[in-house]
Amino acid sequence: MIHADNLSRPALRRQLRACRRALTPTQQRQAARDLYRQLAQHPLFRRARHIALYLPNDGEIDPLLLRREAWRRGKHIYLPLLAHWPRTHMVFQRLARGETLRRNRFRIPEPQPCPARQRRPWALDLLLLPLVGFDDGGGRLGMGGGFYDRALAYRLRHQNWQKPVLLGLAHACQQVDRLPLESWDVPLHATVTDRGWHAGCRRGELEEARSGRGLRRS
C-alpha cells in the first residue's frame, strides 16, 4: 500500500501509474483472470442488465473477460465516449459485437457516436470505472480529466439515487492509505482488485444493491 502523506496529487498519480505500468504482460493477464473470478459470479454483476466499463489503457486492469461474460449472458455493454463539444463532456454508448472503434484525442478506442445507442448514467445498472489510485473510503484518483466526476455529478446533488452502482477496478498495487476528496469527487461504492473487494463509504447502499433492491430492471 502506498502512503499518500506529503505527496501532491500529480506526484501520487505518477507513482501509481508507474506501478501498474511495471506489471509484466503475464502479470496483467493473471490479474485480469483474478478480477473476473472476483466479480463474474457476484450478485451485482449477475443482476445488472446495463453495464458500462472501459477499454484498458496505460496499464489499467483489463475487464475483457467480464465483457465477454456479460455478452454471453445477454447483457448490454456500454463504453465511455468523449464529446467533441463540450470537450469536457462524456456519455455512455452501447457497444455492438465486432464494432469498429476509433481512437479519441487520448488515443483510447471508442465507438463512433450514435445518439440512439447512448444511455444516461442514471439508467445504467452497474458502472465499472478505471482508476489510478483508491482507498478504503470510496476515494478514487483518476487521470485528472474529471470526466467521470462530471458525468456522475448528479449523485452528489441527489444522494438517494441508487443507480448505477459504482465499482472501481484496479490492481492491488494501486491502493493508497487515504485519498483526500475534493468537493466534486464522486465516491465509489467499492473497488474490486485482482485480490479482493474494498468497500467504499456507502456500505449500506452496497448491501442494498447486492441484495437486488438497488438494481431495478430497465
Side-chain angles (χ1 to χ4, degrees):
M1 182 186 300
I2 294 177
H3 296 279
D5 291 344
N6 302 320
L7 285 176
S8 66
R9 279 201 169 199
L12 182 59
R13 194 174 281 117
R14 286 193 298 270
Q15 186 172 339
L16 289 165
R17 290 177 66 189
C19 177
R20 70 185 185 189
R21 285 199 303 261
L23 297 172
T24 67
T26 298
Q27 290 173 318
Q28 283 280 3
R29 288 191 294 270
Q30 184 60 53
R33 289 191 291 268
D34 291 340
L35 176 71
Y36 172 83
R37 284 192 284 268
Q38 292 288 342
L39 191 51
Q41 299 304 321
H42 194 279
L44 288 175
F45 186 82
R46 287 193 288 106
R47 292 192 177 103
R49 178 69 176 168
H50 299 276
I51 302 175
L53 44 74
Y54 59 91
L55 299 181
N57 178 60
D58 193 51
E60 294 166 342
I61 197 165
D62 193 346
L64 172 62
L65 297 177
L66 292 168
R67 187 177 79 202
R68 290 175 176 171
E69 181 67 16
W71 271 335
R72 188 184 70 81
R73 299 184 189 184
K75 302 176 186 295
H76 298 296
I77 290 294
Y78 300 78
L79 289 180
L81 175 67
L82 302 186
H84 287 296
W85 187 261
R87 290 173 65 84
T88 58
H89 188 55
M90 183 178 75
V91 298
F92 297 94
Q93 182 168 307
R94 183 165 51 83
L95 178 67
R97 293 174 185 258
E99 180 177 354
T100 300
L101 303 178
R102 62 173 191 176
R103 291 191 179 273
N104 62 25
R105 58 184 179 271
F106 298 113
R107 307 301 298 164
I108 300 173
E110 64 180 18
Q112 293 286 345
C114 178
R117 290 194 283 136
Q118 293 171 7
R119 196 171 183 88
R120 300 287 189 182
W122 52 83
L124 298 167
D125 297 316
L126 181 62
L127 177 51
L128 306 179
L129 295 83
L131 53 83
V132 176
F134 71 94
D135 63 18
D136 277 332
R140 170 186 177 270
L141 179 68
M143 291 289 284
F147 293 99
Y148 281 96
D149 285 324
R150 280 187 288 271
L152 298 169
Y154 70 93
R155 295 297 301 257
L156 300 177
R157 299 190 299 269
H158 307 282
Q159 296 188 19
N160 60 328
W161 286 29
Q162 296 177 325
K163 292 170 55 174
V165 174
L166 307 178
L167 297 183
L169 303 185
H171 298 284
C173 66
Q174 295 173 245
Q175 186 176 5
V176 176
D177 58 343
R178 185 180 62 84
L179 286 172
L181 293 180
E182 302 290 352
S183 60
W184 57 81
D185 288 333
V186 179
L188 302 171
H189 292 92
T191 299
V192 189
T193 76
D194 46 320
R195 296 183 186 174
W197 283 65
H198 299 263
C201 65
R202 296 178 177 178
R203 296 174 189 269
E205 243 181 83
L206 182 63
E207 290 300 325
E208 183 175 278
R210 180 182 291 122
S211 71
R213 297 192 300 274
L215 290 181
R216 299 188 178 91
R217 293 288 184 180
S218 300

